[in-house]
Amino acid sequence: METDIILETRNLTKAFGALVAVDNVSIKVRKHSLHAIIGPNGAGKTTFFNLLSGNLEPTSGQVLFKGRDITRQPVHRTIHCGIGRSFQITNIFPNLTVFENIRLAAQATGRDNFRFWRPASHFKQYEARTWEVIEKVGLKERTFVPARTLPHGDQRKLELGMILAPDPELLLLDEPTAGMAAEQVPELIALIREIQSSGNKTVMLVEHNMNVVMSVSDTITVMHQGRVLAEGTPADIAANEEVQTAYLGGLYKLNA
Amino acid sequence: MTPSAPSFVQQHRIALISLLALILLPFIVGVFEGASPLEVWSNRSGASKFIQGLAIEIFILALYALSYDLIFGFTGLLSFGHSMFFAVGAYLTGIALKSFGLNLWQTFGLLMVAAVAQALLFGIVLPRVKGITFALVTLGMSSVFHIVIMSRELGDYTGADVGLQGVIVPDFISPATERLRLYFVALTILVLFYLLYRRFVDSPTGRVCKAIRENEGRAQMLGYNTFLFKLAALILSSITAAIAGALHTIYQPIVSPDISGLGFTVTALLIILIGGVGTLNGALVGAAIFRLLDFGLRRYLGESASFINGAIYVLIVLFLPYGIVGTWQLKASLTFQQMRQGWRHLLELFGLDRVRHVSKE
Ligand SMILES: Nc1ncnc2c1ncn2[C@@H]1O[C@H](COP(=O)(O)OP(=O)(O)OP(=O)(O)O)[C@@H](O)[C@H]1O
Ligand SMILES: [Mg+2]
């Protein structure tokens, strides 16, 4: 039985001219797991996410979400089938307020998008949801300032908030802690873990911090030059000779 | 109700005062010209007619500029073919009344159909072209329209390069005999559209339009089919501009083909740049300044007016990148920092910045 597989890719490939950024990747992601994708810079992790979220069209291969083929689905459909995606490079609405950034995310999956004769503030359900999310990611102190004025760490929280608002089943988080001050990282990771376990969600996480990856992941896929180099539990990966030489460079040892 | 909440009147003080002033304007000017309000009301003496005419022109320009602010200022669609939206309304009204003898209501129905059709025409290309390319494609479309208007073959209908004249306007809004009524009709239409726009830009739909202007790729990723929202803005904008064009035909004895050229699109752009991009109020203020400045300078400076005019606009855009209303809304003196932010913002709107977002290839 494969009903506990929420996302599957089959021979997924993306070539930019001669460069094959994602090369024949077939993986399965178990429901309610935290599945990390790691690999050196340029390994193709972000490109892989872009294929999953519909931001890029694959050269070949398939993406199946809950058994359904979503390979060439337009990008605006992604969230409606239950996949939320955050970006490595902060991707927000800089001149809108923090509140409006999240409110827009909450409104998107509702049915009121074309009610142009009513003020947006009339639709209380989205505002209520926005407050919930703001509370959760800890942006309560800076709700009504333009998003561009937030410090970087808070922009990362906002980025996360924007995908939590519509409450997707699968979260694709591309280096959510990128550029964050080291002391803020554990807090955010704890939050992600909490969302994943208490909300019964599946999380796919790209992350460079090995300590974080080793401690929170259920499954790790190691990518290298577009291909899957290894896959397994944190313990498997830490013990894998090939991974050690190709990527971890012997720097990371389990229990080190 | 909290006692500290400002009342409706307090909240909309400026708008209400302006509206009242505009309602009283013909009568006050009439008094200065020696006609009692009653005489002005009955349109007998011809008093304040000139001011009424100037105001009608401003109302039309303001309506037209509003429609441009919606697509450019709020949705971030840079169209260089906007004058076509106006000109289609103007020519269609003229031709329907003059050559086909339709009445005003039939003409209005036709106008709505044409307005939606041309918005769809601009809309077809939306999924394929962005930013400056959209500007050029729309310029191309409106240029074709301009050529058609100017062609000899259709001269019987359009008046070709001479302009459309001899349109018989229904008596009850004739600019010659019932100008005061036309003044109030134009003012009412402007106010109604202004209120509709205020609603629209703050509605769920309008909020998404703003998000598209800020970062279209992200709006798509949030789950919005941005094409539909841009199309909605285009349709509303096109209807508005077409009605402005219809009023233009009703008011002007000759409809010049210039209104379908690039120059008239630039007029809309200038008006909202002066007034403040993406503020709606800026379109109203900008239209008044634009028309009055043009009128005043021409009167006192004659030929050199347009040069001075241009210089003034350049200075305004350079030193008030948020426009007059936008700067006012900053509620503080404009710092150099804010000016730089304003210039950046303008460049972004014109697609001339270097910011890129992840989007479908
Ligand atoms: N749009 C594009 N056009 C051409 N090449 C691209 C494009 N996007 C990515 N690449 C290339 O594909 C390869 C994989 O890039 P990708 O961003 O997916 O790596 P990554 O694993 O996310 O790296 P990082 O850890 O630095 O984020 C790189 O060599 C990159 O230069
Ligand atoms: Mg990456």
Side-chain angles (χ1 to χ4, degrees), chain A residues 16 19-22 39-48 50 56 88 174-175 206 208, chain B residues 361:
Chain A
F16 296 111
L19 175 82
V20 185
V22 173
N41 294 115
K45 306 175 298 286
T46 297
T47 307
F48 183 57
N50 280 337
L56 289 175
Q88 179 175 1
D174 195 353
E175 300 196 32
V206 172
H208 273 299
Chain B
E361 52 168 21

Side-chain angles (χ1 to χ4, degrees), chain B residues 282-305:
Chain B
L284 310 184
V285 173
I289 291 176
F290 181 88
R291 190 69 193 88
L292 293 176
L293 208 59
D294 185 60
F295 170 74
L297 289 177
R298 218 176 275 280
R299 180 145 173 192
Y300 296 108
L301 296 175
E303 278 310 299
S304 55

Side-chain angles (χ1 to χ4, degrees), chain A residues 198-252:
Chain A
S198 71
N200 267 336
K201 306 214 175 302
T202 312
V203 173
M204 288 181 75
L205 176 70
V206 172
E207 177 58 57
H208 273 299
N209 185 326
M210 273 311 127
N211 290 313
V212 165
V213 171
M214 291 297 170
S215 63
V216 303
S217 314
D218 299 312
T219 310
I220 299 176
T221 298
V222 185
M223 284 182 75
H224 184 58
Q225 295 180 348
R227 280 187 294 270
V228 174
L229 188 66
E231 186 174 290
T233 63
D236 295 340
I237 298 302
N240 186 312
E241 286 295 321
E242 209 180 348
V243 175
Q244 288 294 337
T245 46
Y247 175 41
L248 300 178
L251 286 176
Y252 190 90

Side-chain angles (χ1 to χ4, degrees), chain A residues 104-179:
Chain A
L104 279 164
Q107 180 194 305
T109 44
R111 298 163 162 270
D112 302 302
N113 293 329
F114 287 98
R115 304 262 212 112
F116 62 84
W117 55 94
R118 282 256 161 87
S121 57
H122 172 89
F123 302 94
K124 296 288 179 220
Q125 67 273 35
Y126 307 127
E127 300 204 334
R129 179 66 189 152
T130 304
W131 282 117
E132 271 173 44
V133 171
I134 282 180
E135 187 108 7
K136 193 163 230 171
V137 297
L139 285 172
K140 247 187 132 180
E141 312 304 316
R142 332 182 81 111
T143 314
F144 293 109
V145 299
R148 78 183 125 76
T149 65
L150 290 183
H152 181 80
D154 284 351
Q155 291 194 353
R156 299 307 293 166
K157 292 181 189 170
L158 175 58
E159 178 84 45
L160 182 64
M162 287 168 81
I163 75 163
L164 291 181
D167 204 25
E169 288 172 73
L170 171 65
L171 287 80
L172 307 176
L173 306 178
D174 195 353
E175 300 196 32
T177 64

Side-chain angles (χ1 to χ4, degrees), chain A residues 90-107:
Chain A
T90 304
N91 193 351
I92 54 181
F93 302 107
N95 295 313
L96 305 182
T97 64
V98 170
F99 188 85
E100 182 64 5
N101 268 272
I102 296 181
R103 203 201 60 79
L104 279 164
Q107 180 194 305

Side-chain angles (χ1 to χ4, degrees), chain B residues 11 22-23 73 75 77 125 130 146 154 187 192 195 210 214 262 265 280 298 319 342:
Chain B
Q11 248 183 323
L22 286 173
I23 292 171
T75 319
L77 287 174
V125 299
K130 298 250 144 65
H146 185 68
L154 291 173
L187 178 59
L192 288 179
L195 293 176
K210 278 186 231 174
E214 292 294 314
L262 177 62
T265 297
L280 295 187
R298 218 176 275 280
F319 290 104

Side-chain angles (χ1 to χ4, degrees), chain B residues 92-104 107 167-170:
Chain B
L92 192 78
T93 304
I95 293 167
L97 291 175
K98 181 185 166 196
S99 307
F100 296 103
L102 299 186
N103 69 32
L104 214 51
T107 306
V167 175
I168 294 156
V169 175

